[in-house]
Amino acid sequence: AQSVSQHNHHVILSEAASLELGCNYSYGGTVNLFWYVQYPGQHLQLLLKYFSGDPLVKGIKGFEAEFIKSKFSFNLRKPSVQWSDTAEYFCAVPRRGSQGNLIFGKGTKLSVKP
Amino acid sequence: NAGVTQTPKFQVLKTGQSMTLQCAQDMNHEYMSWYRQDPGMGLRLIHYSVGAGITDQGEVPNGYNVSRSTTEDFPLRLLSAAPSQTSVYFCASRADRGANNEQFFGPGTRLTVL
C-alpha cells in the first residue's frame, strides 16, 4: 500500500538554525511530491511541489526540497528559520487510482523559539 | 476570488444528531474533496468528486455522505454523529485530475461530538 512517512513528530529550533524535515514515500513509477504548510489556526497552503526535472525544488518563503529517487525521499530544508515559520508541515503524494487525491504524512510540527 | 469557503467554522453536536458541513469554491474547479485531520494522523480522504453528479469514496467514508449537484458546492453530511467523528474537516478543490495540480484548501470546520 502507498504510504508517506515523516520522521519527526515535533522539531524545536532557535531562530537562524537550519531546518531539515524528512519525508519518505513508498511508491514506484512516476512521482509527484508535495509539501504543504499549516500555520496556527489556518488552512493548508502549498509550499512547493516536484513533478519532473530538476530534483532541487524551490518554494515560497525560502524553503526548498530535494527529490532523491534512490532513497525515495523528498526532504524539506531551509537554511535559516524564523519565528514565523512555526507551523505544521505535511508531505504528500497523489493516491493511485484516486484521481489525484493526496496521501498525507502525519505531519511535523515545527516550533521556532525567538 | 474567495477561493474555497467552509461553514460553519465550529460546531458542537450530540451523539446521534445530524448536520451538513458546507463547502463552496468559486474557481470553477472540477475536482473537490473532503479530508479529516486528527492529531498525529495527518489528513485522511473521506469522499471526493470529479464533477457535478459524480462522487466516490476515499479512505475513511463510513458515517459520511456527499453529493455534488453543482460545480461550486460539495456538502458533507453526517447522518448520525458519533464521538469518533470529532475532528477538523477540510474541503479542497483543484482544477483537474492531473496529479501535479495544486489542491486549494478551505479554512476548515472544527467539529466536536459529545
Side-chain angles (χ1 to χ4, degrees):
Chain A
Q2 284 182 279
S3 65
V4 177
S5 300
Q6 292 184 242
H7 313 302
N8 310 101
H9 176 62
H10 191 186
V11 173
I12 302 172
L13 296 173
S14 297
E15 275 193 315
S18 64
L19 170 72
E20 181 160 2
L21 301 182
C23 172
N24 286 92
Y25 61 94
S26 65
Y27 191 90
T30 303
V31 177
N32 296 281
L33 296 154
F34 301 82
W35 275 100
Y36 279 84
V37 60
Q38 186 178 28
Y39 297 103
Q42 296 189 26
H43 59 281
L44 276 80
Q45 305 170 45
L46 181 67
L47 203 52
L48 49 80
K49 65 180 180 181
Y50 169 83
F51 54 93
S52 67
D54 190 342
L56 185 62
V57 180
K58 295 198 183 295
I60 60 172
K61 304 188 180 185
F63 285 90
E64 64 179 30
E66 185 175 12
F67 168 54
I68 303 179
K69 188 175 182 179
S70 61
K71 295 185 178 180
F72 295 89
S73 70
F74 190 53
N75 292 355
L76 182 70
R77 300 195 293 244
K78 186 171 184 179
S80 176
V81 295
Q82 301 173 318
W83 177 78
S84 57
D85 293 324
T86 294
E88 192 157 15
Y89 294 81
F90 295 93
C91 184
V93 299
R95 179 188 301 272
R96 266 183 297 198
S98 183
Q99 309 283 353
N101 288 298
L102 297 174
I103 295 175
F104 286 87
K106 294 184 178 181
T108 297
K109 189 169 292 188
L110 172 65
S111 299
V112 180
K113 297 183 292 184
Chain B
N1 284 356
V4 180
T5 57
Q6 292 182 238
T7 56
K9 289 187 178 178
F10 301 95
Q11 184 70 50
V12 178
L13 293 177
K14 294 181 180 178
T15 297
Q17 287 185 313
S18 63
M19 80 160 295
T20 299
L21 280 63
Q22 301 292 343
C23 173
Q25 52 91 10
D26 62 359
M27 297 174 282
N28 203 33
H29 285 171
E30 288 295 320
Y31 284 64
M32 297 184 74
S33 309
W34 276 102
Y35 294 86
R36 59 177 289 174
Q37 182 182 27
D38 302 292
M41 299 290 288
L43 279 79
R44 293 179 292 170
L45 182 67
I46 305 172
H47 285 287
Y48 65 97
S49 169
V50 302
I54 307 170
T55 64
D56 205 348
Q57 296 181 348
E59 184 183 357
V60 287
N62 292 342
Y64 307 96
N65 276 359
V66 292
S67 59
R68 183 99 179 269
S69 55
T70 67
T71 299
E72 294 77 23
D73 301 298
F74 190 43
L76 179 71
R77 279 182 288 276
L78 283 71
L79 300 178
S80 179
S84 61
Q85 293 178 304
T86 293
S87 187
V88 182
Y89 291 85
F90 288 100
C91 180
S93 75
R94 68 186 192 282
D96 59 41
R97 66 178 294 173
N100 63 343
N101 281 330
E102 177 182 355
Q103 293 208 25
F104 294 85
F105 287 84
T109 294
R110 186 174 293 274
L111 175 67
T112 302
V113 183
L114 303 174

